[in-house]
């Protein structure tokens, strides 16, 4: 392996980083996304290399992934398995192609495997009906709902992202050591970003002898410079109330107690001081909740709350599809405020408005 391949210094070819100790990362591009890429990690084991995530289902992403595996000194056909941190398309998208090329098994937490199964079986028109109903209940204006209703009426219904992703054939069991000869990799269930998100704790000495307890593949749960999207868990078949933000905050504290020497996330870059980053995120979300509670001094629907929240750009500049994601995040925060007894629904309001308590 050349030095350029190990460090990602080559101008042509994949950006690959050797994290030492039989661990590499490959920057796999995400098309038309400000995140730029997903860091797919490769872990050497006694039965062959194992991937942590796969990247978006896109020809350029596939070519980058396979070239990156080669740069690490392996071949895609020799992959032993794939560990999926969560079901989102930039993590699970290429899993079917990986399995087709290698015969590798694919493992995922049961809760996210259920999401993959629903997505593969979903009739797009029915999902569109669900989205219209959900946005209507959130107080979305007619001008936002009109394109969705027109698409449904005219039969202009596209397939859902992720419908080509593979169904996993193994389950990642929380707390269990994974069956990877020569490695101690333990599954850590960290719901919040998705119901079945997992981090993977490599319980081995850090190759640079940094203080702490091994290394953590953190997926999207713990990132060095951004907070992951926390929205409502979507399941048209299940109306059971959930609290994704509460799940996320509890999962953050769980990860902090692991005290890893280094975190290897799926976006941005590797970093240390996991506990410090957790503290920053806990403070961020408490401040955000306090700000939303202040906004609820005036009763608002979830849509109105999303309009009033601070985002990375003014509401008028947020793309159409991203507004749906923003409303889901507003609803997740609202639900957590209600769970804490800090907000309540206004009796008799339609669509339902919420106010601070």
């Amino acid at each position: 392996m050349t030095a350029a391949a190990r460090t990602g210094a080559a101008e042509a070819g994949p950006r690959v980083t050797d994290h030492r100790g039989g661990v590499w990362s490959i920057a796999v591009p995400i098309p038309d996304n400000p995140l730029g890429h997903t860091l797919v990690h490769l872990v050497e084991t006694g039965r062959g290399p194992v991937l942590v995530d796969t990247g978006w289902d896109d020809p350029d992403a596939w070519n980058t992934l396979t070239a990156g595996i080669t740069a690490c000194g392996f071949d895609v056909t020799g992959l032993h398995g794939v560990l999926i941190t969560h079901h989102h398309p930039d993590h699970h998208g290429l899993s079917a192609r990986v399995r087709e090329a290698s015969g590798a098994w694919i493992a995922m937490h049961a809760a996210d495997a259920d999401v993959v199964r629903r997505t593969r079986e979903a009739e797009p028109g029915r999902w569109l009906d669900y989205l219209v109903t959900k946005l209507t209940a959130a107080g979305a204006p007619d001008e936002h709902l009109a394109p969705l209703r027109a698409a449904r009426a005219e039969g202009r219904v596209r397939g859902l992202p992720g419908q080509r992703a593979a169904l996993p054939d193994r389950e990642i069991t929380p707390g269990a050591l994974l069956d990877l000869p020569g490695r101690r990799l333990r599954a850590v269930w960290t719901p919040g970003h998705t119901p079945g998100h997992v981090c993977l704790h490599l319980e081995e000495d850090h190759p640079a002898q940094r203080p702490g307890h091994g290394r953590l593949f953190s997926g999207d749960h713990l990132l060095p410079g951004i907070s992951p999207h926390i929205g409502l868990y979507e399941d048209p078949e299940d109306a059971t109330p959930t609290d994704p933000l509460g799940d996320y905050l509890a999962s953050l504290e769980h990860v902090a107690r692991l005290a890893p020497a280094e975190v290897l996330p799926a976006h941005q870059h590797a970093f240390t001081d996991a506990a410090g980053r957790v503290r920053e995120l806990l403070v961020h979300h408490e401040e955000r909740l306090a700000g939303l509670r202040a906004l609820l001094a005036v009763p608002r629907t979830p849509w109105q709350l999303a309009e009033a929240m601070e985002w990375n750009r003014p509401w008028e500049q947020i793309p159409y599809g991203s507004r749906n994601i923003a409303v889901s995040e507003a609803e997740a925060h609202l639900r957590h405020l209600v769970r804490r007894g800090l907000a309540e629904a206004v009796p008799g309001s339609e669509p339902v408005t919420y106010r601070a308590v």
Side-chain angles (χ1 to χ4, degrees):
M1 188 189 310
T2 67
R6 288 198 308 271
T7 63
E11 292 185 5
R15 189 182 119 199
V16 174
T17 301
D18 185 349
H19 296 281
R20 300 172 59 190
V23 176
W24 295 260
S25 62
I26 305 164
V28 177
I30 311 172
D32 303 318
N33 189 295
L35 282 174
H37 59 264
T38 301
L39 292 174
V40 173
H41 291 90
L42 185 149
V43 181
E44 190 173 10
T45 81
R47 290 191 189 134
V50 169
L51 294 182
V52 177
D53 292 331
T54 62
W56 192 278
D57 184 9
D58 173 79
D60 185 36
W62 173 252
N63 292 337
T64 301
L65 176 64
T66 55
I69 293 169
T70 300
C72 294
F74 304 97
D75 189 271
V76 67
T77 60
L79 289 173
H80 174 54
V82 179
L83 299 163
I84 301 295
T85 61
H86 61 294
H87 70 82
H88 287 163
D90 56 322
H91 297 258
H92 187 40
L94 283 171
S95 54
R97 290 200 68 175
V98 168
R99 182 156 68 190
E100 180 182 351
S102 65
W105 48 260
I106 299 171
M108 180 184 286
H109 186 281
D112 271 23
D114 286 343
V115 177
V116 174
R117 189 172 294 104
R118 287 199 306 271
T119 301
R120 288 170 60 92
E121 296 172 355
E123 194 279 307
R126 185 174 179 284
W127 178 260
L128 193 56
D129 290 339
Y130 167 76
L131 182 60
V132 170
T133 300
K134 180 175 176 294
L135 288 169
T136 300
D142 285 340
E143 58 266 27
H144 186 85
L145 297 170
L148 298 173
R149 290 172 173 154
R152 185 67 172 103
E154 297 166 15
R156 293 183 284 108
V157 181
R158 298 180 300 172
L160 300 174
Q163 285 189 314
R164 295 198 301 177
L167 276 173
D169 43 44
R170 292 192 183 187
E171 182 178 332
I172 295 178
T173 304
L177 277 175
L178 301 172
D179 182 19
L180 301 178
R183 313 303 310 229
R184 284 188 59 86
L185 189 64
R186 191 177 301 277
V188 183
W189 184 33
T190 50
H193 184 52
T194 70
H197 191 290
V198 293
C199 295
L200 301 163
H201 190 199
L202 192 59
E203 298 176 341
E204 302 170 10
D205 290 341
H206 192 281
Q209 299 303 308
R210 287 179 176 161
H213 302 288
R215 291 181 280 182
L216 186 75
F217 299 102
S218 66
D220 281 2
H221 179 67
L222 190 61
L223 303 169
I226 55 178
S227 175
H229 165 69
I230 308 296
L232 296 184
Y233 302 145
E234 304 288 5
D235 183 355
E237 302 293 336
D238 188 356
T240 304
T242 57
D243 182 13
L245 182 57
D247 292 344
Y248 178 66
L249 298 176
S251 298
L252 281 176
E253 294 181 343
H254 184 186
V255 163
R257 290 192 293 271
L258 297 176
E262 187 175 26
V263 179
L264 303 176
H267 301 290
Q268 299 189 301
H269 54 81
F271 63 100
T272 58
D273 191 15
R277 180 59 183 145
V278 165
R279 286 193 297 271
E280 292 175 353
L281 286 166
L282 291 174
V283 168
H284 164 75
H285 283 285
E286 288 301 323
E287 290 176 345
R288 193 166 180 80
L289 286 165
L292 299 189
R293 187 165 180 250
L295 289 173
L296 292 175
V298 176
R300 301 176 193 263
T301 65
W303 182 276
Q304 291 168 336
L305 184 62
E307 286 182 311
M309 290 168 67
E310 289 188 12
W311 304 102
N312 60 0
R313 68 189 84 178
W315 181 259
E316 295 73 21
Q317 297 176 19
I318 295 177
Y320 180 91
S322 297
R323 292 187 181 190
N324 298 337
I325 297 172
V327 172
S328 181
E329 186 157 326
E331 289 182 296
H333 282 73
L334 266 174
R335 187 168 293 180
H336 190 65
L337 284 171
V338 171
R339 285 281 180 98
R340 287 191 178 185
L342 299 175
E344 65 180 7
V346 176
S349 57
E350 183 65 35
V352 179
T353 61
Y354 292 83
R355 63 190 177 196
V357 175

